Amino acid sequence: MVRGNNSIKGVKLFSFRAIKGLLPALLGVGFFLLIGAASLVALLRYSELNSWFGYIQQPYLWRLVRFSLWQALLSSGISLLIAIPVASCLVHRQFYGKAVLLQLFSVSMVVPTIVAILGLVVVYGRTGWLNQLFGVDVPLYGLVGILLAHVFFNMPLAVRLFLQGYDLIPSGQWRQASQLGFSRWAAFRWIEWHYIKKVLPGAFVLIFMLCFSSFAVVLSLGGGPKFSTLEVAIYQALRFDFDLNKASFLALLQVFICTFFAVLVYRIAPVNRQDVSLLAVRSYVIKDSCLARSADCLALLGAFILVVPPFLAIFDPIFSPIFFKTLGSVSLWSAVIVSLQIAVPAALVSLWLGVCFGVLARFCMARPYLAFLPNKIEHLGNMILMVPGLVIATGLFLFLRDLGWGMQSSYWVVVWVNAVMALPFVLRSLMPAMYQQERRFRNVYLSLGVHFWSRWCLEWSLIRTSVAQAFGYALLLSLGDMGVIALFGSQGLVSLPLYLFQLIGSYRLEEGACVAVVLISLCLILFYCSSRVIGGVSKRVKY
C-alpha cells in the first residue's frame, strides 16, 4: 500500500542505496545518449546547411520520399493483416510442428537479409520453384519483391507481438467466453480485438520504421532508381560520393518522417497496460465450427507458404558437390570468425544497454511522480530505428577520427552500431517481463529491502526466457548485418554476409548459396544454444 509519495509502509522510495544501485544503469543510458549525440554533432560539423534548400527543390528527392512511404505502408499493412488471423489460430489450435513453426517465426525475424533474399530468389525468381512447378512468373525485382521480402521478415514479428498481446487477456475472460458458448468470431470480436488493438499501433510503428529504413532488401530487389528509398540514397551518398552534407540532410529528413509517424500513431493509440495478476494464463475451450477451422487452415497455410519455402530453398545447395568444396575454403572460415567477433560483443553490449533501460524504467515505475517516464525511456531506446545505421556509423567514425583514431576504430564502430540497432528488439523482449515482475513484487521488495542484484537472483527463473530471446535476437541481427559492414568492410574485416555479397557480386552464385547455408546454420545453432543455455529447457510450448 503506497503511503504518501515517498514511502511504502515506512520504506523510503528514494535512498542513497537505491540511487547508488541505479548508477550503473544511469551510466549505461548516459553513455548511449552521449555516443549518439557525439556522432550526430560530428556529422553536422561536415554539413553545409545553406545548400539543404537546393536538395528540397529536387524532384528526385520527393520521388524517393513517396516510394519510401508507399512501400513501408504497404509492407506494414500486409504484414499486420496476415499476422492477426495467424496469431489467433496459434492461440486456439494445437497441432504437430507448432513449436517448430514458432521457432521458425522467431528466427525469420532476424535471419540475415542477404540469405533470405537468396531464398526468395530461388523460390520466386525467373527460374525459381514457382515458375518451374506452376509456370507463374513473379516480377521479383521491383515493388513486388520488396513487399515479399518485407512480409517474410515482418509478418512473423507481428505474430510474436500479437501473441504478447494475447498474454494480457485474463483467464476470467476466456472462462466466461467458454461458459457462455462464444463462437470464435464472437470471442475475437468481444475479447481478442480489444487487446489486439492495443498492440496494433506499436507493432505498426515498429514494422513501418523497419521497412522505411530497409536497406539490403531495397538494394538487392529494388531493380533500379525507380524503386530506391531514402536509406539507399544515404548509402550512395556516403559510399560512392562521400557527400556528408547530402547524407546528413537525407538522414535528418528520414528521422523527421519517422518521428512524425511515431508521434501521430502513439497520440491516437490506447494505453497498453499489463495485468499484474498474470503469470500463466489458463486456456479454456472456445466453441469450434467448420467455418473457424477453415479460416484457421487458410491463415496457417498462407503463413506457411510465405515463410517455409524460402527457408527450404536456402538449404537446397547442401546436396550439391560444391558445398563440401566450399567448406574447405579458408576465406569462409575467416569470415565466420570475423562474424562471431562482431556478433558476440555486439549482442552482449545490446543486452547490457537493454538491462540498463529496463532497470531505469522499473525504478521510475515505483515512484508515483516518475510514473510517466517508463514509456518515454522505452521509446528513447526505440528511437534508434528512426536513425539510419549508416549515418550513426559514419558520425561515430568521424568523431573517433577527430580524436585521433582512424581506420583502426572501424571494428568498434561496427560492433557499437550493431549493438544499438538491435536495442529495440532487445527492449521488446525484455521490458514486458521486467514490467510484470516489478508490478507483481514491487511492494514486497520495498518492504523487505530487496535491491538490485538480489532482485535479479529472485526473478531469474521468471525472466531468463526473455533474456535468452533478447540475446538471441541481438546475436542474429549482428551476425546478419549487411549495412554497416558494407560501409566499413575491408580486407581484414569481411564478415559472412559481406563475403556472401562479394561472391554474388562476382557471379559465383553456387558458391554464394553454399555460404548462405553456413550462415543460416550458424544462426540456427547460436539461437538454439542461446535459448537452451540462457533460457533453460522449456517443458511445453504455450502457443
Side-chain angles (χ1 to χ4, degrees):
M1 179 71 70
V2 176
R3 183 185 298 170
N5 284 339
N6 204 32
S7 66
I8 290 180
K9 291 185 177 180
V11 180
K12 285 187 177 179
L13 296 181
F14 273 108
S15 65
F16 175 73
R17 187 177 179 184
I19 300 296
K20 185 182 172 184
L22 192 66
L23 200 57
L26 283 172
L27 287 175
V29 176
F31 188 68
F32 168 79
L33 294 175
L34 185 66
I35 294 291
S39 307
L40 188 62
V41 169
L43 198 63
L44 289 176
R45 279 186 58 203
Y46 291 85
S47 304
E48 299 169 8
L49 300 182
N50 52 358
S51 64
W52 286 12
F53 185 69
Y55 293 139
I56 295 175
Q57 294 177 319
Q58 293 179 359
Y60 178 65
L61 171 71
W62 296 111
R63 198 173 69 191
L64 284 177
V65 172
R66 277 198 301 273
F67 182 72
S68 302
L69 284 171
W70 179 236
Q71 62 86 18
L73 285 170
L74 277 179
S75 303
S76 314
I78 295 171
S79 301
L80 293 172
L81 280 175
I82 298 174
I84 290 173
V86 174
S88 180
C89 169
L90 289 171
V91 168
H92 291 286
R93 303 285 175 195
Q94 297 296 333
F95 53 89
Y96 289 110
K98 185 174 172 180
V100 176
L101 187 65
L102 282 168
Q103 285 293 333
L104 209 58
F105 277 8
S106 299
V107 175
S108 65
M109 291 188 296
V110 286
V111 71
T113 313
I114 192 73
V115 176
I117 290 169
L118 205 62
L120 289 168
V121 170
V122 173
V123 176
Y124 301 107
R126 189 162 295 172
T127 57
W129 293 357
L130 201 62
N131 200 350
Q132 290 177 10
L133 292 174
F134 305 106
V136 179
D137 187 13
V138 179
L140 193 61
Y141 295 95
L143 181 61
V144 175
I146 292 171
L147 293 180
L148 266 174
H150 282 165
V151 172
F152 171 82
F153 282 111
N154 296 309
M155 186 273 291
L157 170 63
V159 170
R160 300 295 304 194
L161 294 175
F162 287 137
L163 289 180
Q164 287 181 8
Y166 275 94
D167 272 341
L168 305 179
I169 303 176
S171 299
Q173 293 193 13
W174 289 124
R175 184 179 62 245
Q176 203 165 20
S178 178
Q179 289 171 345
L180 292 174
F182 274 22
S183 64
R184 281 288 305 283
W185 171 245
F188 179 83
R189 183 180 176 187
W190 299 111
I191 299 176
E192 296 170 34
W193 176 243
H194 179 67
Y195 291 88
I196 285 176
K197 70 182 182 184
K198 291 181 179 178
V199 180
L200 205 52
F204 173 78
V205 170
L206 179 63
I207 295 174
F208 176 84
M209 287 182 186
L210 288 171
C211 298
F212 191 79
S213 58
S214 177
F215 169 67
V217 168
V218 180
L219 187 70
S220 307
L221 298 176
K226 186 181 174 184
F227 300 108
S228 188
T229 59
L230 278 175
E231 188 85 5
V232 175
I234 292 169
Y235 169 76
Q236 289 168 343
L238 288 172
R239 182 73 180 182
F240 301 122
D241 307 327
F242 200 64
D243 188 345
L244 296 175
N245 183 35
K246 189 176 181 181
S248 306
F249 170 76
L250 294 173
L252 288 178
L253 182 62
Q254 180 163 320
V255 171
F256 172 77
I257 293 171
C258 288
T259 308
F260 174 77
F261 263 85
V263 170
L264 185 69
V265 172
Y266 282 126
R267 288 279 293 178
I268 60 174
V271 179
N272 190 5
R273 296 190 186 284
Q274 194 160 14
D275 187 339
V276 299
S277 67
L278 290 176
L279 187 59
V281 178
R282 186 180 168 189
S283 59
Y284 290 87
V285 177
I286 302 296
K287 186 179 175 183
D288 205 357
S289 67
C290 190
L291 187 62
R293 281 194 293 273
S294 304
D296 284 342
C297 283
L298 200 62
L300 207 58
L301 186 65
F304 185 87
I305 290 173
L306 278 170
V307 175
V308 176
F311 264 107
L312 294 177
I314 292 167
F315 288 98
D316 187 48
I318 204 168
F319 302 107
S320 68
I322 199 171
F323 178 71
F324 296 98
K325 187 181 173 185
T326 306
L327 287 182
S329 168
V330 176
S331 302
L332 170 69
W333 296 109
S334 300
V336 170
I337 292 170
V338 170
S339 291
L340 291 174
Q341 285 174 339
I342 292 171
V344 174
L348 289 171
V349 171
S350 191
L351 188 61
W352 168 65
L353 286 173
V355 170
C356 289
F357 273 83
V359 169
L360 197 59
R362 288 189 3 161
F363 180 86
C364 295
M365 282 175 67
R367 279 74 189 169
Y369 34 86
L370 298 178
F372 66 98
L373 277 178
N375 283 339
K376 291 182 172 51
I377 291 171
E378 192 175 342
H379 291 163
L380 183 67
N382 288 328
M383 277 180 67
I384 199 70
L385 285 176
M386 301 177 190
V387 188
L390 298 173
V391 173
I392 302 173
T394 307
L396 183 56
F397 175 74
L398 293 173
F399 171 67
L400 293 174
R401 193 181 70 169
D402 291 344
L403 292 177
W405 296 337
M407 286 306 293
Q408 66 268 29
S409 66
S410 300
Y411 167 75
W412 293 109
V413 171
V414 174
V415 169
W416 176 258
V417 175
N418 274 303
V420 296
M421 294 310 290
L423 183 60
F425 291 89
V426 171
L427 291 177
R428 279 275 167 193
S429 302
L430 272 183
M431 294 303 248
M434 292 181 73
Y435 284 160
Q436 191 180 55
Q437 304 316 317
E438 176 66 22
R439 288 196 174 102
R440 287 175 61 82
F441 303 118
R442 179 195 309 159
N443 291 351
V444 176
Y445 289 152
L446 290 171
S447 301
L448 298 177
V450 180
H451 291 289
F452 300 93
W453 178 246
S454 304
R455 285 190 181 193
W456 277 99
C457 294
L458 289 171
E459 292 175 2
W460 175 244
S461 61
L462 300 172
I463 64 169
R464 61 186 299 181
T465 306
S466 300
V467 173
Q469 194 178 48
F471 181 78
Y473 286 164
L475 191 67
L476 266 59
L477 282 168
S478 306
L479 203 64
D481 169 57
M482 243 303 289
V484 184
I485 195 70
L487 199 61
F488 288 92
S490 59
Q491 192 63 33
L493 194 65
V494 178
S495 67
L496 264 179
L498 184 59
Y499 181 54
L500 172 57
F501 188 72
Q502 289 172 349
L503 289 174
I504 294 173
S506 55
Y507 300 102
R508 293 157 67 185
L509 294 180
E510 288 186 354
E511 201 175 334
C514 298
V515 172
V517 174
V518 175
L519 180 53
I520 193 68
S521 302
L522 190 63
C523 288
L524 293 172
I525 291 168
L526 289 176
F527 195 78
Y528 178 80
C529 291
S530 165
S531 302
R532 283 304 177 103
V533 174
I534 301 176
V537 178
S538 177
K539 291 182 179 177
R540 70 186 182 90
V541 178
K542 187 175 177 183
Y543 292 122

